Amino acid sequence: MGKYKKDVRQSKLLETVSKNPFLTDEKLAQQFDVSIQTIRLDRLELNIPELRERIKTVAQEEKEKVRSLSLQEVTGEIVELEMNVRAVSRFSVEESHTFLKYNIARGQYLFAQANSLCVAVIDYPVVLTKSAAIDFIKQVKVNDIVFSNATVQSIDNHVAKIEVISKVEDDTVLKGKFEMYFKNEDEDNDKNSD
Amino acid sequence: MGKYKKDVRQSKLLETVSKNPFLTDEKLAQQFDVSIQTIRLDRLELNIPELRERIKTVAQEEKEKVRSLSLQEVTGEIVELEMNVRAVSRFSVEESHTFLKYNIARGQYLFAQANSLCVAVIDYPVVLTKSAAIDFIKQVKVNDIVFSNATVQSIDNHVAKIEVISKVEDDTVLKGKFEMYFKNEDEDNDKNSD
DNA sequence: CTCATATTAGTACCAACTACTAAGGGGGAT
DNA sequence: ATCCCCCTTAGTAGTTGGTACTAATATGAG
């Protein structure tokens, strides 16, 4: 294969690196059949950081994701998030979430969605549920998509009060008030559960 | 703070590195107030890879850790049941029920145990949660065994009020009041979710 | 042919290591 | 006290994957 011209090579380089950030300059040089120096000049011009920096960035992103992913497992997917202010999540009800005979979702799943949304919206390393008051207003059925809306009402020293409203289309299915206790990792204290 | 002994230092090192893989040997040496060489010997003995390898591993970790933790299997096992009067269930907390970093059980699992106990204690074909007010009183950790105790306070036409107290050994970890809506299969009505 | 641009070569230096050798230090058991 | 062992620290050489810089060479367009 013939060598590319500079501009083509650079745009391909950008693509390659973003697809696979784990390639050294040496590998890239082989791949594009140019010298290492050329790759380095290209990176310089394109502001592509070196291998180690690229990996580090990926690792840090991955770390963040692990936190939010572990929340998502149970609770649906967070679609909007304004830290310490509000958040929205989406939960699609499947058969496994329902009473088999009636296809009505078990309340604990709706609770779980609301509860973990409250954990997510509070931007502290440790967030535990202190209390919850929930009204289940309307049945939720299989295949319904539940949007849960959390709004932080107040947030002080160590406790946030959050209001959650979950809807299926325009119908409110759940209303809840949560008190969440939060702290930094290092602080020592004893309370609560989630 | 005085220096740790070797074995203590090494176990703390393991913990530190797994919590934050982004620390160089130099930083670790400062943190533990020992020389860089000591940290390196420790890493050698403990098979902790170097910084760059650690970062790389984190970066490569696939996001497909999607363990499906069904809340259904979570609700514990019913150990005592007096229909429409009281019931007790047992729930053993496993790692998958906790926040990874802190081994503290997520509140939604404790809620799920209490909630499904309320469903079980009411002897009607359809039982849905109408409202719930929960206080999470104490943290529950991995390997704790939670006994949940539901007592029916009142039961009338279509609504039962139930008090739930969950304990780990002698410590109360959760107190809740549930209103459960119930009916016979054939009755038609529209309310609630679980 | 000329001249700018592109490419390659080469050097010195850096961070964060591994792998190794060697020197001290501090306790216990004898 | 002495000996010995383990732990700790120091120091050197070599590695990877770079940055930053200078200098030489190729190439193509006018």
Side-chain angles (χ1 to χ4, degrees):
Chain A
M1 57 175 144
K3 290 195 191 189
Y4 300 114
K5 282 187 185 169
K6 188 182 180 182
D7 52 350
V8 178
R9 185 189 62 234
Q10 290 197 339
S11 76
K12 294 216 180 240
L13 182 66
L14 265 174
E15 202 192 321
T16 302
V17 169
S18 74
K19 258 190 195 164
N20 180 1
F22 298 94
L23 298 169
T24 60
D25 287 355
E26 202 185 346
K27 294 273 175 195
L28 290 166
Q30 284 169 20
Q31 201 161 311
F32 287 95
D33 194 22
V34 291
S35 68
I36 288 191
Q37 280 74 6
T38 301
I39 293 294
R40 291 186 174 159
L41 280 175
D42 284 348
R43 283 201 299 99
L44 203 71
E45 286 176 29
L46 298 169
N47 281 317
I48 300 173
E50 64 164 291
L51 171 69
R52 289 154 182 169
E53 288 306 311
R54 296 198 299 270
I55 290 181
K56 203 171 166 185
T57 306
V58 173
Q60 280 162 348
E61 281 170 6
E62 205 59 37
K63 265 245 149 175
E64 293 301 309
K65 268 188 206 164
V66 168
R67 208 172 95 112
S68 52
L69 259 183
S70 58
L71 301 173
Q72 283 172 29
E73 290 169 21
V74 177
T75 43
E77 166 198 2
I78 287 167
V79 290
E80 289 179 39
L81 180 57
E82 205 176 325
M83 282 298 188
N84 298 331
V85 179
R86 53 179 287 280
V88 179
S89 80
R90 199 192 108 104
F91 172 52
S92 178
V93 177
E94 287 163 31
E95 222 172 278
S96 63
H97 306 128
T98 64
F99 288 101
L100 295 174
K101 279 204 247 178
Y102 311 103
N103 282 333
I104 300 170
R106 288 163 189 267
Q108 58 227 46
Y109 289 101
L110 301 178
F111 178 89
Q113 179 184 19
N115 189 42
S116 40
L117 188 61
C118 288
V119 174
V121 75
I122 300 299
D123 184 23
Y124 274 79
V126 178
V127 185
L128 309 171
T129 311
K130 183 165 176 280
S131 72
I134 312 293
D135 284 313
F136 295 91
I137 297 172
K138 193 169 183 298
Q139 292 175 9
V140 175
K141 311 238 171 170
V142 71
N143 294 331
D144 280 352
I145 291 170
V146 184
F147 279 93
S148 206
N149 224 300
T151 315
V152 178
Q153 305 286 306
S154 71
I155 182 161
D156 63 20
N157 195 15
H158 279 294
V159 175
K161 295 188 181 179
I162 303 173
E163 194 171 272
V164 178
I165 293 176
S166 297
K167 293 190 175 195
V168 173
E169 288 175 358
D170 285 336
D171 295 327
T172 298
V173 296
L174 174 152
K175 273 190 189 177
K177 282 183 197 297
F178 288 82
E179 283 185 315
M180 307 303 284
Y181 169 83
F182 57 85
K183 63 175 182 178
N184 287 311
E185 294 189 46
D186 42 352
E187 294 183 53
D188 233 1
N189 215 316
D190 216 33
K191 274 212 164 216
N192 322 97
S193 62
D194 166 347
Chain B
M1 58 179 143
K3 290 192 188 189
Y4 300 113
K5 281 189 186 165
K6 190 182 179 183
D7 52 349
V8 177
R9 184 189 62 234
Q10 290 196 342
S11 76
K12 293 216 178 239
L13 182 66
L14 266 174
E15 201 194 319
T16 301
V17 169
S18 75
K19 255 191 196 168
N20 182 0
F22 299 95
L23 297 169
T24 61
D25 287 354
E26 202 185 346
K27 295 272 176 195
L28 290 166
Q30 283 168 19
Q31 201 161 312
F32 287 93
D33 193 22
V34 291
S35 68
I36 287 191
Q37 279 76 3
T38 301
I39 293 295
R40 289 185 175 159
L41 280 175
D42 284 348
R43 283 202 298 99
L44 203 70
E45 287 176 29
L46 299 169
N47 282 316
I48 300 173
E50 65 163 291
L51 171 70
R52 288 156 182 168
E53 288 306 311
R54 295 198 298 271
I55 291 180
K56 204 171 167 184
T57 305
V58 173
Q60 283 167 334
E61 254 163 34
E62 282 121 325
K63 314 145 198 178
E64 10 146 322
K65 285 180 185 170
V66 188
R67 285 161 290 136
S68 63
L69 341 150
S70 165
L71 277 172
Q72 271 179 329
E73 359 167 327
V74 160
T75 49
E77 173 197 356
I78 290 179
V79 291
E80 288 179 40
L81 180 57
E82 206 176 325
M83 281 300 188
N84 297 332
V85 179
R86 55 180 285 281
V88 179
S89 79
R90 197 192 110 103
F91 169 50
S92 177
V93 177
E94 286 163 31
E95 218 171 284
S96 61
H97 306 127
T98 65
F99 288 100
L100 296 173
K101 278 205 248 174
Y102 311 104
N103 283 330
I104 301 171
R106 289 161 189 270
Q108 57 226 44
Y109 290 101
L110 300 177
F111 179 89
Q113 178 185 20
N115 191 44
S116 43
L117 188 61
C118 289
V119 173
V121 76
I122 301 298
D123 184 23
Y124 276 79
V126 178
V127 184
L128 309 173
T129 311
K130 185 165 174 280
S131 73
I134 312 294
D135 283 311
F136 295 91
I137 297 173
K138 193 169 182 303
Q139 292 176 9
V140 175
K141 310 240 167 163
V142 69
N143 295 329
D144 281 352
I145 292 170
V146 185
F147 280 94
S148 208
N149 225 299
T151 314
V152 178
Q153 305 285 305
S154 71
I155 181 162
D156 64 18
N157 196 14
H158 278 295
V159 175
K161 294 187 182 180
I162 303 173
E163 193 171 273
V164 178
I165 293 177
S166 297
K167 291 190 177 194
V168 173
E169 288 174 0
D170 284 336
D171 295 327
T172 298
V173 296
L174 175 151
K175 274 189 188 178
K177 285 183 196 297
F178 288 83
E179 284 185 315
M180 308 302 286
Y181 169 84
F182 57 87
K183 63 174 184 180
N184 288 309
E185 291 189 51
D186 42 350
E187 294 182 51
D188 233 0
N189 211 316
D190 218 32
K191 273 215 162 212
N192 324 92
S193 61
D194 165 350

